Amino acid sequence: MGPFNFKEYKPQGKRDQYFLKNKEIAREQVDRADVQKDDIVLEVGAGIGNLTQEILTRKPKKIKIIEKDRELLKILKEKFKNSNVEIIEGNALKKDFESFDKSISNLPYSISSEITFKLLNYQFKSAVWMYQKEFAERIVATSGTKRYGRLTVNVKYFANVQLIREVSKNNFEPQPEVDSAIISIEPKEKLPKLLDQDLFFDLTRAVFTQRRKKLKNALENTIHMISELEKNDFKNVKSKLTQYLHKRPEEITPEEYVEISNKIKRTVSDE
Ligand code: SAM
């Protein structure tokens, strides 16, 4: 199996346009997604369709690809004109994905965060997505490690995530400055019971601005960022959180954040 060729398009080094050269990696991504004949597969940022072609070899029911670059769209339309590939033209952040079973993508890295949270609003079985390595590490991080943060906690609320492999930058044309990594994202069948999602997201946004402080101080310093706390008796809330107050935000697990958020909600609702 040779590398992908770039006869039809000379990569121009435009922002977010790093094309995968290595077919083995594309194949590994598709294997990992375990594409079945009745699957609808979504690909964000199809480029010249090299990953799309690999997905096509598994003969899924349909592949939906999204691409915003006009020149690339011309190539994609020609390449997939007699196939079950549906081409969605435009910005993936603004397009409705509608329904899909699996997603396989080498993402445009500048939209990593927004597109991940968009993905998590849909019902699907699994996604095998390639990100910049550091971003992928932040998603899969465990509490107490350097990369663990708000992104980790928020994504892990919705999904089980796993690092599949790192991909060195020399597998792309042109070569980007940083390495990449592939992760799998599987939405949880049942989400942890959260009494107030907004409060949970406010809480994690606020305390991770103070990741090395004790939670007690982190909360005190960021109370203006958590509207449910701002309006209520903070002393009372603190008395319900004693088991967590001495921990640093970076040491608190995603499950504990759910608990903390729910304890705050219950306390302020009782006041
Ligand atoms: N799938 C190809 C591959 O594996 O080689 C291309 C991956 S490349 C990293 C990302 C692609 O996303 C580029 O083709 C780029 O034009 C496209 N892109 C960038 N921003 C986008 C957006 N907001 N919506 C849709 N496509 C986008």
Side-chain angles (χ1 to χ4, degrees):
M1 183 194 279
F4 289 116
N5 72 58
F6 292 92
K7 265 191 269 168
E8 72 271 68
Y9 184 75
K10 174 110 193 61
Q12 296 159 16
K14 286 192 207 164
R15 185 171 188 229
D16 275 335
Q17 290 189 0
Y18 301 105
F19 302 106
L20 187 62
K21 287 195 290 193
N22 186 334
K23 260 189 198 169
E24 295 290 343
I25 293 171
R27 196 168 64 176
E28 216 180 306
Q29 273 184 280
V30 180
D31 280 346
R32 181 62 199 225
D34 190 26
V35 174
Q36 302 291 321
K37 302 247 179 305
D38 55 354
D39 280 338
I40 298 178
V41 182
L42 171 79
E43 183 191 354
V44 175
I48 54 169
N50 41 9
L51 180 58
T52 321
Q53 272 174 321
E54 191 55 39
I55 303 170
L56 256 181
T57 64
R58 311 302 160 95
K59 302 188 168 53
K61 188 158 107 193
K62 190 183 204 178
I63 309 179
K64 296 184 192 182
I65 62 176
I66 313 182
E67 176 54 62
K68 72 167 192 185
D69 185 289
R70 282 187 190 191
E71 219 178 315
L72 292 171
L73 279 164
K74 273 192 225 152
I75 295 169
L76 292 168
K77 282 181 193 165
E78 181 55 32
K79 212 178 222 177
F80 299 116
K81 64 183 169 198
N82 295 316
S83 72
N84 57 350
V85 176
E86 178 192 335
I87 302 177
I88 303 170
E89 304 182 23
N91 182 349
L93 291 173
K94 298 197 174 138
K95 296 288 167 183
D96 187 351
F97 300 164
E98 292 169 357
S99 64
F100 61 97
D101 302 290
K102 310 219 167 120
S103 180
I104 308 173
S105 305
N106 295 335
L107 289 182
Y109 293 150
S110 68
I111 60 169
S112 297
S113 187
E114 271 179 279
I115 201 75
T116 302
F117 285 106
K118 176 164 181 162
L119 175 81
L120 293 170
N121 281 318
Y122 287 87
Q123 281 193 341
F124 62 99
K125 290 186 190 133
S126 66
V128 176
W129 275 14
M130 175 137 53
Y131 294 88
Q132 253 183 28
K133 184 172 159 229
E134 192 204 307
F135 192 90
E137 286 172 350
R138 284 169 54 207
I139 292 184
V140 301
T142 39
S143 55
T145 62
K146 188 171 89 185
R147 302 264 191 245
Y148 183 75
R150 177 181 161 216
L151 176 71
T152 325
V153 175
N154 291 354
V155 173
K156 287 190 180 180
Y157 168 69
F158 292 104
N160 297 316
V161 292
Q162 197 188 347
L163 181 72
I164 296 176
R165 61 163 291 170
E166 294 177 6
V167 179
S168 137
K169 57 191 171 190
N170 57 28
N171 289 295
F172 297 89
E173 179 70 36
Q175 185 172 308
E177 286 183 1
V178 290
D179 293 329
S180 298
I182 301 169
I183 66 174
S184 74
I185 303 174
E186 292 185 3
K188 291 183 179 164
E189 272 175 26
K190 201 162 174 262
L191 289 184
K193 190 171 160 48
L194 201 49
L195 298 174
D196 184 339
Q197 263 201 18
D198 290 341
L199 169 59
F200 176 78
F201 292 119
D202 281 355
L203 171 73
T204 52
R205 183 182 302 111
V207 298
F208 274 108
T209 63
Q210 318 255 316
R211 54 184 292 128
R212 302 203 45 80
K213 295 247 161 62
K214 297 265 160 70
L215 183 69
K216 174 176 172 291
N217 300 327
L219 283 173
E220 274 167 8
N221 295 342
T222 58
I223 205 162
H224 58 282
M225 295 172 70
I226 311 169
S227 57
E228 285 287 354
L229 277 186
E230 214 180 5
K231 297 182 297 213
N232 289 283
D233 179 2
F234 186 43
K235 249 196 196 151
N236 192 14
V237 171
K238 268 197 302 193
S239 72
K240 300 287 188 319
L241 298 179
T242 45
Q243 68 199 101
Y244 302 108
L245 292 178
H246 63 284
K247 290 193 179 191
R248 300 179 205 283
E250 62 183 12
E251 297 166 341
I252 297 172
T253 66
E255 295 75 24
E256 288 174 328
Y257 275 109
V258 172
E259 245 177 82
I260 293 172
S261 170
N262 286 346
K263 275 183 192 281
I264 295 175
K265 185 68 187 175
R266 274 192 214 102
T267 313
V268 301
S269 307
D270 286 349
E271 278 176 4

